[in-house]
Amino acid sequence: MSEYTPEEIHHHVKTYVMVFVALAALTIITVSISYLDLGVLPAVTLALIVASIKGSLVACYFMHLISEKVTIYWTLLVTLAFFLVLMFVPLSTMLVQAKV
Amino acid sequence: MDIPFTVKERPDTGLYNGKLGIWLFLASEVMLFGGLFSAYVFLRTGAESWPVGSDILNVPMATLNTMFLITSSVTMVMSWASLKLNDFGKFKMYLGFTILLAFGFLVVKYFEYTAKFEHHLYPSTNNFLGIYFTMTGLHVLHVVGGIIVIFYFLVPGNKMWQSDPDRFVNRIEIVGLYWHFVDLVWIFLFPVFYLL
Amino acid sequence: MLELLRYFGLPTFSASTQGPAIDNINVLAHWLMALLFVGWGAFFIYTLFRFRASKNPKANYQGIRSHFSSYLEVVIGVIEVVLLLGFAIPIWASRVNDVPKGPDAIHIRVVGQQFAWNIHYPGPDGVFGAISVDLVDEVENPIGLDRSEEFAKDDIFTVNQLHIPVNTPINISLSTKDVIHSFTLTELRVKQDAIPGMEIPVWFEATMTTDELLEEIKGTAREGRGFEIACAQLCGLGHYRMKGFMTIHEMDGYEAWLAEEQEYLSEEEEDDWEDDWED
Amino acid sequence: MSTDYHKESFFTKYIWSTDHKIIGLQYGITALLWLLFGFILMMIMRYQLAYPESPIPIVGALLGDGGLLPPEMYNSLGAMHGTIMIFLGVVPLAFGAFGNYFLPLQIGAIDMAFPKLNATSYWMYFVGSVVMVTGFFVPGGAANSGWTSYPPLSNIATTGQTVWLCGMVFLITSSLLGSINILATVIQLRTEGMNWMRLPIFVWVQFITAFLLLLAFPPLEAASVLQLMDRLAGTSFFMPSGLVVSGVALSNAGGGSPLLWQHLFWFLAHPEVYVLILPAFGIVVEVIANNTRKPIWGYKSIVYAVVFLGFMSFIVWAHHMFITGMGTSMSSFFQTTTMIISIPSVVILTALFMSLWGASIRYNTPMLFALGFLPMFGIGGLTGLPLGLAAADIYLHDTYYVIGHFHYVVAPGTIFALFAGIYYWFPKMTGKRMNETLGKLHFFFSLIFMNGVFLPMMAQGLAGVSRRLWDGGEMYAHAAGVLYLNEVMSISAWLLGMTQIFFIVNMIISLMSKKTGESNPWGATTLDWSATTSPPLGHGNFEVVPTVYRGPYEYSVPGADKDFTPQNEKV
Ligand code: HEA
Ligand code: HEA
Ligand code: CUA
Ligand SMILES: [Cu+2]
């Protein structure tokens, strides 16, 4: 178990509440953006940016990634690399597929 | 002889076994959902036409669900913090809220699914609905799994708080990590299916 | 090396313009393999013999000091780069990019199905007629050609009979009706998967006619058996018997064949029109 | 037993055991039985290939139909042979059994990090494997679309395919749990002094293998779920619209792509082939270090090569898909990565060859198998090169050349390494030795017949004979010249099967023999041999948890009194 003093925990709790507010706000923002007619590319980009911010907030604060150990960082870094490969390499292969 | 570092951290890695274990598990989950997201992008890019999610799906309901999960993530982490502060009563309260919110999520999802079926929108209708049902369905299974585990620690498993409190806190932390991950997946599912 | 590969089964003829290039890269790759295998094999056997315990009871803690192996690894790397840049990638680029589109190229559609190859010629107008899945009839109209459409009237299709002229660029649009097949012309070193939902170009230029082939293989085990279209991808229980025949003519022979097919077509149309309604 | 502080019932001791050694044995026995089963399937198929028109002897009676093997049954047997050999045989043996049993011992751990998870993963595997073969009993027989299960063929296949997918989901889950356990164990439970550069190579390869399983398997799980949806819920992820199967137009919504499956499948299946080979490398390194009585040459280069290999194995997968109509840029990318990934294998093999120089080589059975591995893997690996060059692959793809390529790496390659491991560690597991004469007979005959089966495949492949042909190519003109090889291969395969009797008999008589009482019969340096007795204590492994003072292969250290200096020996 990680060693935190009660003061630190109280401080954490404050952070959690702030993060929660941010998440809620971002949810509302992303929904509102979706009602604007932005066109596909900007809409996708914006939505993914917002989602990534929300995701990072959850990961960094709720999951304490902001102060994690190197082993975990390395594991996740490798995972992230392969995740990106998995997301984009099949796609680019399809896009340059030989077609008549 | 007991296996070392189940409770205390190993000095050179700074981790106890369970924490490393759950992160490894989450790494594999990233790749699982990665495979599905990759399939989604692949299908969508290759499709001649792709429906706009908000035309078919219910955005307000999903927004509500997003709120449910976000809130449940906070209550989850609060319950862990309460344990850290030695406040067992608060811990139980927060964990209880977490379960309630998770059920709230499931109930909303149930109404969403049945509404789709009533309109004769099935997974087989088109690939958008197919991948929507598959991915959200798999996510729902994760939520159900989470509920079972959280319930275990809320009721039958909480005796460990007396016998081995440090270990109990660790376990709650681990469950928390899992639960936040489920939330995180939803944070991406939500815009991808409902808003884009 | 080419002789060696041929001794081990590689067909002794390679009946298309790109065939020799593909054989060539195979030969080069096998040279690399043979050098590595023989080199290390000799070293291996020598050490096994020289350093057996009965002869060399005390092992040397240091072992080999030389770093020739690192140079060897670098050399292998360099050879691989040469194979890639000098041969493999250019051959591939030509395969993908040089699809002949000009008027002198012959354009044919090939549609795989369980377990046959349907060949579709555009006919004299040079344009393929419309196709529709709803019209597919396994016996009468396996590719679902819409004869009522303007360009379709003169189209010819055959089952398992591909006829092409020699020394002419052939451009095949490959597709399939059901599952994945793989269009394979072994003697021409041509292979391409047919993927459902896609139409993929395959092109080649034959350099040998069927008559020449039959001459060439006299006295061998395959005597009397001409060119075939094989299927290389598992496509179900009849995968093993999914075989088409390919006849490579001289240009005039090809044209004669086309004309003959055209004739059949017009005859068929004449006596088909009325009977068809009755049954 | 000093540490067996609680009494265990038979059930908790042998069935629901959480002791990594018992679980390792469970894995091992189950996997060996599946290997045998997979091999029997292949011996039946080889009869069909050699004598296409005649009824199968012995098992023919089970087939009905006058003992003839119908084509769809042939396809079932082929798909199941591939699946069983890989997912039920080699991976559980190499990773589940050897990894479970010896990895904790080699790093001085008293068990795996999560013993209950360990038991769960074995039972998942067991259930998955049983599910997998129940496919034979459903209408239409077992999965018959190849181990690669390419849709749309697999989408429209009989129920066996659904069973296959369900089995896969179990097996994948099992592998995931197993790999989490191995990773956590290596990271967390290394004993004092066992730092990363003192790990035996065997531990390193298991560690990287676990990473491959952890990150490569989930996409196949995703793909399996998608295919299950296609088959059961009527979606069309892998099917475009407008398909006509046997004259009937399919009414699916369409819009899917068969290539999506291929990407997700090979994203797993390429790393998977390194999952098959890496543990084999590890075993071979252990055995060779021990029997050359000198340190492995280039320990570090092997470690870096293995890590690099693991990393690269995630970005080469589409070399299995060159012929699907790939464009120039992507094909160049995958050719290049494929060529790059061949270098670390060369580095590893080179290091092993160099290790032989200056050695004092003992030719016992494990060593023979390990040495046999080297040229056999060499042939297999080298034949991978023309396949990796897309231009050459145009001709070789889906021919018996590919079958020959990978059988050289998995059969006389990995299987030999696994045999080496069994002969090498048998004394550790049982306290008894295996018979050397029988072992050597097993080796030499296996070597001959393995080559008798797989070398002719190269010739057939060069002649252009396709794989998965029920009649062995009789139909096709281009196969005419090499058709006689079918019989040669089949006879070799059956003789290879007979040869395994030496092994089975050897197992049985060795198990019945008396214990030798030696704890370290090979004079080995790693902790599994030197820090604990043979067979190891029950739960807990060590009397005193060892401390490590040096690298893993300190043999023939100048000035030392014996020719090996164990890792835990304080000088
Ligand atoms: C353990 C399994 C394993 C291993 C290690 C490998 C290793 C390699 N494989 Fe193989 N492969 C498979 C299992 C394996 N493969 C399987 C199962 C298939 C078919 C799947 C299917 O379709 O069903 C396949 C198919 C396959 C294909 C697709 C072919 C096709 O379908 O058209 C390709 C193409 O690039 C390929 C390439 C390679 C390469 C470049 C390596 C390299 O990593 C090899 C590197 C090794 C070396 C270069 C050897 C070094 C040698 C020496 C240093 C000298 C030795 C000399 C002496 C001993 C004397 N493999
Ligand atoms: C790890 C993988 C593995 C292994 C080890 C093997 C081993 C063998 N394989 Fe297999 N094979 C595949 C994986 C493997 N194969 C795959 C993936 C395919 C492709 C399938 C597809 O098309 O989809 C294939 C296809 C395949 C084909 C092509 C079929 C076709 O295309 O139609 C053939 C043909 O001869 C063949 C033959 C053999 C033979 C003779 C062996 C022999 O080497 C077997 C030797 C086995 C042993 C030596 C094991 C002995 C074990 C014991 C004796 C245990 C003793 C037990 C106790 C003590 C309890 N295999
Ligand atoms: Cu068509 Cu095989
Ligand atoms: Cu591969």
Side-chain angles (χ1 to χ4, degrees):
Chain A
M1 58 173 279
S2 336
E3 304 306 329
Y4 289 118
T5 60
E7 289 82 71
E8 277 173 322
I9 298 287
H10 281 297
H11 188 75
H12 275 189
V13 170
K14 277 199 204 98
T15 325
Y16 298 150
V17 176
M18 266 149 61
V19 170
F20 171 67
V21 174
L23 287 174
L26 284 169
T27 307
I28 293 166
I29 290 175
T30 191
V31 173
S32 344
I33 293 178
S34 79
Y35 284 106
L36 310 173
D37 265 329
L38 282 182
V40 178
L41 201 65
V44 171
T45 325
L46 268 179
L48 287 186
I49 290 176
V50 175
S52 306
I53 297 174
K54 287 168 70 183
S56 323
L57 285 176
V58 171
C60 290
Y61 294 101
F62 290 171
M63 300 170 91
H64 303 129
L65 258 193
I66 197 114
S67 57
E68 214 19 287
K69 301 295 178 297
V70 280
T71 317
I72 307 272
Y73 284 149
W74 274 109
T75 312
L76 293 182
L77 210 67
V78 174
T79 311
L80 182 73
F82 294 147
F83 174 82
L84 292 176
V85 169
L86 179 60
M87 287 300 290
F88 295 111
V89 176
L91 185 68
S92 28
T93 311
M94 175 185 72
L95 290 177
V96 299
Q97 195 82 29
K99 287 196 184 97
V100 175
Chain B
M1 262 189 265
D2 280 324
I3 295 163
F5 315 121
T6 42
V7 183
K8 284 266 166 301
E9 289 102 355
R10 180 182 166 109
D12 58 351
T13 59
L15 297 165
Y16 57 89
N17 297 344
K19 183 137 165 201
L20 180 61
I22 192 73
W23 273 111
L24 290 169
F25 175 71
L26 293 184
S28 87
E29 292 278 278
V30 168
M31 295 307 280
L32 173 66
F33 283 99
L36 291 167
F37 274 115
S38 170
Y40 167 87
V41 176
F42 194 99
L43 290 171
R44 177 168 182 165
T45 317
E48 274 151 27
S49 65
W50 194 260
V52 178
S54 49
D55 293 349
I56 301 182
L57 305 174
N58 191 329
V59 178
M61 282 241 217
T63 312
L64 179 65
N65 251 352
T66 310
M67 287 303 180
F68 278 167
L69 275 195
I70 292 175
T71 320
S72 80
S73 240
V74 185
T75 54
M76 186 73 226
V77 75
M78 292 298 263
S79 75
W80 170 78
S82 315
L83 271 191
K84 280 277 184 193
L85 296 170
N86 258 323
D87 191 338
F88 192 61
K90 269 224 179 107
F91 156 77
K92 281 175 95 168
M93 182 188 83
Y94 280 126
L95 214 54
F97 274 134
T98 311
I99 291 197
L100 276 183
L101 289 162
F103 268 113
F105 179 87
L106 289 185
V107 170
V108 172
K109 210 75 223 149
Y110 171 82
F111 283 116
E112 273 191 80
Y113 280 173
T114 43
K116 294 285 141 339
F117 295 150
E118 269 160 25
H119 291 88
H120 299 285
L121 296 173
Y122 298 107
S124 53
T125 309
N126 58 35
N127 267 340
F128 169 77
L129 282 164
I131 192 103
Y132 160 78
F133 276 111
T134 312
M135 290 186 75
T136 53
L138 214 61
H139 179 258
V140 161
L141 284 182
H142 279 77
V143 173
V144 172
I147 289 182
I148 294 172
V149 177
I150 295 173
F151 179 78
Y152 172 79
F153 286 112
L154 181 62
V155 185
N158 74 21
K159 287 191 274 305
M160 194 186 249
W161 176 243
Q162 260 76 44
S163 57
D164 196 351
D166 286 351
R167 199 162 181 186
F168 188 67
V169 179
N170 284 349
R171 292 202 163 175
I172 296 301
E173 185 178 9
I174 290 172
V175 180
L177 285 171
Y178 170 79
W179 190 251
H180 301 313
F181 179 78
V182 173
D183 181 23
L184 207 152
V185 171
W186 180 258
I187 285 178
F188 283 93
L189 286 176
F190 172 57
V192 162
F193 284 109
Y194 290 85
L195 305 182
L196 295 178
Chain C
M1 184 58 69
L2 186 61
E3 274 60 50
L4 194 69
L5 293 187
R6 286 185 165 165
Y7 177 77
F8 278 111
L10 190 73
T12 48
F13 36 86
S14 136
S16 71
T17 46
Q18 58 267 68
I22 290 174
D23 281 0
N24 192 29
I25 186 167
N26 249 317
V27 165
L28 292 172
H30 280 82
W31 267 117
L32 172 64
M33 292 153 66
L35 283 180
L36 269 172
F37 191 76
V38 172
W40 274 123
F43 179 90
F44 183 53
I45 296 188
Y46 176 69
T47 48
L48 290 189
F49 180 72
R50 174 165 163 195
F51 296 106
R52 62 192 190 276
S54 52
K55 167 101 182 315
N56 193 32
K58 181 98 188 70
N60 175 353
Y61 179 77
Q62 297 292 348
I64 260 183
R65 278 298 193 44
S66 125
H67 278 271
F68 86 89
S69 63
S70 317
Y71 304 121
L72 183 78
E73 282 149 17
V74 172
V75 170
I76 298 175
V78 171
I79 298 178
E80 288 183 348
V81 170
V82 172
L83 283 177
L84 275 176
L85 296 183
F87 299 90
I89 294 178
I91 295 177
W92 197 266
S94 151
R95 170 189 154 100
V96 177
N97 302 333
D98 297 354
V99 180
K101 297 252 163 70
D104 47 341
I106 292 185
H107 197 178
I108 304 171
R109 287 182 70 239
V110 172
V111 185
Q113 77 171 77
Q114 288 174 326
F115 302 99
W117 295 105
N118 298 294
I119 320 287
H120 180 182
Y121 293 85
D125 65 0
V127 181
F128 291 107
I131 299 288
S132 156
V133 267
D134 305 320
L135 294 173
V136 171
D137 174 315
E138 283 310 306
V139 185
E140 296 286 330
N141 190 0
I143 54 174
L145 189 64
D146 180 1
R147 283 283 188 207
S148 64
E149 198 244 13
E150 173 191 2
F151 296 116
K153 294 212 163 68
D154 60 349
D155 286 18
I156 301 169
F157 59 82
T158 68
V159 178
N160 286 335
Q161 293 292 343
L162 175 62
H163 289 253
I164 55 168
V166 73
N167 295 331
T168 313
I170 311 288
N171 174 7
I172 290 182
S173 300
L174 184 66
S175 60
T176 163
K177 275 160 68 180
D178 39 39
V179 302
I180 302 178
H181 302 276
S182 193
F183 178 79
T184 307
L185 307 172
T186 301
E187 297 82 0
L188 278 69
R189 314 290 189 265
V190 169
K191 186 176 286 157
Q192 173 61 53
D193 280 2
I195 311 276
M198 296 167 66
E199 233 185 25
I200 302 174
V202 190
W203 73 272
F204 55 88
E205 190 176 326
T207 54
M208 190 186 212
T209 62
T210 298
D211 292 339
E212 283 162 0
L213 174 79
L214 291 174
E215 194 58 38
E216 171 100 24
I217 56 176
K218 276 219 174 99
T220 67
R222 74 175 282 186
E223 176 157 4
R225 300 170 75 176
F227 292 107
E228 290 172 358
I229 312 170
C231 175
Q233 184 64 264
L234 179 65
C235 51
L237 59 94
H239 164 56
Y240 73 98
R241 61 179 155 84
M242 180 159 169
K243 177 172 82 169
F245 298 90
M246 177 170 70
T247 315
I248 306 182
H249 304 268
E250 297 291 351
M251 194 41 128
D252 41 354
Y254 171 69
E255 273 158 4
W257 177 79
L258 270 185
E260 197 181 324
E261 289 294 309
Q262 212 60 51
E263 199 127 318
Y264 284 139
L265 187 65
S266 38
E267 277 169 25
E268 243 175 61
E269 245 166 73
E270 273 157 28
D271 48 48
D272 257 20
W273 262 126
E274 285 110 56
D275 330 344
D276 247 17
W277 291 108
E278 279 145 44
D279 45 45
Chain D
M1 264 176 236
S2 57
T3 51
D4 226 3
Y5 44 80
H6 50 250
K7 267 242 160 306
E8 288 171 305
S9 68
F10 177 82
F11 180 77
T12 50
K13 193 151 175 220
Y14 296 109
I15 310 294
W16 179 257
S17 172
T18 54
D19 180 355
H20 72 99
K21 298 186 292 299
I22 302 286
I23 297 175
L25 289 176
Q26 290 174 326
Y27 261 117
I29 294 166
T30 322
L32 275 174
L33 290 172
W34 284 128
L35 268 185
L36 189 60
F37 182 71
F39 191 19
I40 290 173
L41 296 185
M42 186 37 77
M43 289 198 272
I44 301 173
M45 289 170 73
R46 288 275 15 150
Y47 192 86
Q48 163 65 27
L49 290 173
Y51 313 110
E53 307 301 331
S54 20
I56 313 285
I58 314 172
V59 290
L62 292 173
L63 301 172
D65 217 12
L68 292 173
L69 185 73
E72 55 276 29
M73 183 77 185
Y74 176 86
N75 290 347
S76 275
L77 294 184
M80 293 308 276
H81 162 76
T83 312
I84 287 174
M85 284 304 202
I86 290 182
F87 296 109
L88 310 190
V90 173
V91 176
L93 189 56
F95 182 70
F98 282 108
N100 246 309
Y101 202 111
F102 299 107
L103 182 135
L105 289 174
Q106 287 200 330
I107 60 172
I110 61 170
D111 202 325
M112 294 283 251
F114 311 111
K116 288 199 190 106
L117 206 63
N118 204 7
T120 317
S121 97
Y122 168 73
W123 285 105
M124 281 276 188
Y125 155 59
F126 186 83
V127 173
S129 66
V130 173
V131 169
M132 198 56 106
V133 291
T134 48
F136 280 112
F137 306 104
V138 300
N144 53 16
S145 312
W147 81 288
T148 48
S149 288
Y150 280 4
L153 183 62
S154 56
N155 272 8
I156 58 178
T158 48
T159 326
Q161 184 64 25
T162 308
V163 178
W164 188 91
L165 290 165
C166 295
M168 267 336 264
V169 171
F170 275 103
L171 294 172
I172 294 171
T173 315
S174 154
S175 293
L176 289 178
L177 299 182
S179 55
I180 291 174
N181 224 333
I182 294 266
L183 290 168
T185 307
V186 176
I187 295 175
Q188 292 287 98
L189 301 190
R190 280 168 293 120
T191 188
E192 206 185 323
M194 183 60 95
N195 57 32
W196 288 93
M197 281 302 159
R198 285 179 182 167
L199 289 178
I201 299 284
F202 179 78
V203 176
W204 266 109
V205 296
Q206 293 284 344
F207 183 71
I208 298 298
T209 305
F211 247 110
L212 299 187
L213 286 174
L214 184 79
L215 298 181
F217 246 137
L220 184 64
E221 188 145 12
S224 302
V225 170
L226 294 177
Q227 197 177 96
L228 274 173
M229 290 293 285
D230 268 8
R231 293 180 54 87
L232 302 177
T235 55
S236 36
F237 297 128
F238 302 130
M239 289 208 277
S241 48
L243 295 189
V244 184
V245 176
S246 349
V248 183
L250 296 186
S251 61
N252 62 319
S257 164
L259 291 184
L260 174 58
W261 167 270
Q262 295 193 15
H263 281 295
L264 294 175
F265 179 84
W266 289 114
F267 189 88
L268 157 84
H270 186 84
E272 177 76 11
V273 308
Y274 291 99
V275 168
L276 301 175
I277 203 69
L278 284 178
F281 281 149
I283 294 170
V284 167
V285 169
E286 297 299 305
V287 173
I288 286 189
N290 180 265
N291 288 303
T292 52
R293 314 307 292 164
K294 65 185 280 299
I296 283 291
W297 190 88
Y299 171 88
K300 279 198 179 145
S301 57
I302 297 186
V303 170
Y304 295 142
V306 169
V307 174
F308 183 66
L309 188 84
F311 194 82
M312 288 300 290
S313 70
F314 282 90
I315 47 174
V316 303
W317 78 85
H319 65 207
H320 298 268
M321 300 168 59
F322 285 141
I323 310 296
T324 57
M326 208 182 278
T328 314
S329 52
M330 287 322 276
S331 97
S332 307
F333 173 74
F334 283 110
Q335 293 181 65
T336 311
T337 53
T338 303
M339 288 302 114
I340 294 174
I341 205 175
S342 66
I343 301 290
S345 301
V346 174
V347 170
I348 296 170
L349 246 72
T350 303
L352 289 173
F353 288 134
M354 303 291 262
S355 299
L356 298 175
W357 194 271
S360 167
I361 303 172
R362 300 191 305 210
Y363 288 102
N364 46 33
T365 310
M367 185 62 168
L368 287 176
F369 273 107
L371 291 174
F373 169 90
L374 297 176
M376 294 299 106
F377 171 77
I379 298 180
L382 291 172
T383 47
L385 297 178
L387 298 176
L389 297 164
D393 193 50
I394 296 174
Y395 184 65
L396 297 172
H397 176 69
D398 267 342
T399 63
Y400 262 89
Y401 197 89
V402 177
I403 302 278
H405 152 65
F406 75 78
H407 278 91
Y408 261 104
V409 254
V410 294
T414 304
I415 297 263
F416 271 18
L418 294 174
F419 281 141
I422 293 173
Y423 283 102
Y424 178 64
W425 273 304
F426 191 81
K428 180 86 253 165
M429 296 186 277
T430 60
K432 301 162 188 184
R433 281 241 206 176
M434 286 183 83
N435 181 300
E436 279 288 308
T437 319
L438 285 174
K440 286 184 176 145
L441 286 173
H442 180 206
F443 169 71
F444 283 109
F445 283 112
S446 290
L447 185 67
I448 295 169
F449 295 133
M450 282 279 188
N451 283 287
V453 187
F454 300 121
L455 207 54
M457 287 188 180
M458 303 297 178
Q460 286 204 335
L462 283 172
V465 182
S466 302
R467 54 195 287 202
R468 297 160 166 170
L469 294 176
W470 172 73
D471 63 354
E474 242 185 349
M475 266 286 175
Y476 290 113
H478 58 251
V482 288
L483 217 51
Y484 70 99
L485 290 172
N486 275 333
E487 199 173 339
V488 176
M489 292 191 276
S490 296
I491 292 175
S492 300
W494 300 320
L495 291 173
L496 177 63
M498 308 279 272
T499 305
Q500 305 312 314
I501 293 175
F502 288 123
F503 175 64
I504 296 176
V505 169
N506 198 348
M507 275 276 205
I508 295 172
I509 60 172
S510 310
L511 279 174
M512 293 192 313
S513 68
K514 271 229 280 297
K515 287 199 180 176
T516 57
E518 320 156 278
S519 271
N520 189 359
W522 311 112
T525 50
T526 44
L527 293 183
D528 47 337
W529 292 104
S530 48
T532 174
T533 51
S534 301
L537 304 172
H539 242 155
N541 293 346
F542 304 98
E543 258 147 295
V544 202
V545 173
T547 309
V548 169
Y549 299 100
R550 61 183 60 74
Y553 306 116
E554 293 297 293
Y555 289 100
S556 303
V557 182
D561 50 349
K562 46 189 189 328
D563 72 346
F564 65 104
T565 320
Q567 285 192 279
N568 60 329
E569 196 171 279
K570 203 169 180 174
V571 183

